[in-house]
Amino acid sequence: MRYDSVIYDLDGTLLNTIDDLAASVNHAMRTFGYPEHSVAAVCRMVGNGMAKLMHSALPADVSPERFDEALAAFKAHYALHSNDLTCPYPGICELLESLAQEGVKQAVVSNKGDPFVKELCSRYFGGCIALAVGEQPDVRRKPHPDSLLKVMAQLGCEPERTLYVGDSDVDILTASNAGVDCASVTWGFRPEEELAAAGASILIRQPDELRRLVLS
């Protein structure tokens, strides 16, 4: 097979989480009297971690103290509602199961908070995902390659046999910084033309295309 290790982004790649993220963002906005955002607007804000998401959602002149309060409100709400409307994209569970049966090592590296990443991956993907990591205080976020390289080392992945799969320019940069190939899915939070403009070299429009790429 072309790749024996596949590492995925989570939000917008394996799971459609945007409705729950938007609901928690708007809970924080309502709590402190700020204008709410559409789901489409929140979709453009995600990808760089929860703190960056709230920086984008809040007014530019918000005080550091109010920012911390709003971020805490967002996290508290999301902890209770991270799985209200979230679900895997069509064909994803079948893809992961198929690759697992072929012996492909699979993991998740995300900028989402680590507890949420672990809980959601355990709930939806069971034994298919060998390791799932999210944002941690001692590791630089994507597009820095730190978390991806750390997971590769833990699983014994060789860069030339590893594929990173994501849905944004952040994921393209992360793969490049880690020295691995990147496949960009078009069903996620960024339109295909934006991925192409960001330098996507492999565009994946259906999960089965990814399966064929890995096993080719």
Side-chain angles (χ1 to χ4, degrees):
M1 63 185 69
R2 183 171 179 180
Y3 301 102
D4 61 17
S5 304
V6 183
I7 304 176
Y8 307 90
D9 172 54
L10 185 61
D11 296 44
T13 300
L14 299 182
L15 292 178
N16 186 351
T17 57
I18 196 62
D19 289 322
D20 288 333
L21 288 168
S24 292
V25 166
N26 285 327
H27 166 77
M29 297 299 105
R30 288 192 302 273
T31 298
F32 297 101
Y34 297 122
E36 296 184 33
H37 300 281
S38 68
V39 172
V42 174
C43 196
R44 293 190 293 272
M45 299 176 188
V46 298
N48 288 284
M50 292 181 167
K52 287 284 189 180
L53 169 58
M54 292 306 296
H55 269 300
S56 298
L58 289 164
D61 60 351
V62 69
S63 70
E65 294 76 18
R66 179 50 54 86
F67 171 80
D68 289 342
E69 293 170 348
L71 178 60
F74 165 83
K75 288 182 175 179
H77 187 273
Y78 193 65
L80 298 175
H81 299 281
S82 65
N83 197 38
D84 289 358
L85 298 172
T86 287
C87 62
Y89 288 101
I92 287 298
C93 291
E94 294 82 356
L95 166 71
L96 300 186
E97 290 167 2
S98 175
L99 293 182
Q101 290 171 2
E102 295 290 341
V104 176
K105 291 179 282 191
Q106 299 180 94
V108 165
V109 170
S110 170
N111 274 342
K112 194 186 198 76
D114 189 64
F116 300 116
V117 170
K118 287 178 166 53
E119 193 278 328
L120 289 170
C121 283
S122 175
R123 176 184 294 269
Y124 285 108
F125 307 130
C128 292
I129 297 296
L131 185 60
V133 301
E135 184 179 14
Q136 298 173 325
D138 58 338
V139 182
R140 293 183 299 175
R141 293 191 309 271
K142 300 183 303 180
H144 293 292
D146 304 34
S147 54
L148 179 52
L149 292 173
K150 186 176 181 180
V151 165
M152 290 170 60
Q154 288 181 260
L155 296 181
C157 304
E158 299 175 357
E160 64 273 13
R161 301 292 306 283
T162 299
L163 181 69
Y164 188 61
V165 182
D167 73 309
S168 73
D169 57 333
V170 172
D171 299 315
I172 295 169
L173 285 171
T174 302
S176 177
N177 291 336
V180 301
D181 290 346
C182 183
S184 301
V185 304
T186 63
W187 56 75
F189 298 163
R190 299 291 186 271
E192 184 172 332
E193 57 270 22
E194 185 173 326
L195 295 171
S201 58
I202 303 172
L203 290 169
I204 300 294
R205 297 174 179 86
Q206 297 291 335
D208 195 56
E209 292 180 23
L210 183 58
R211 184 189 65 83
R212 293 197 301 270
L213 171 67
V214 171
L215 300 179
S216 62

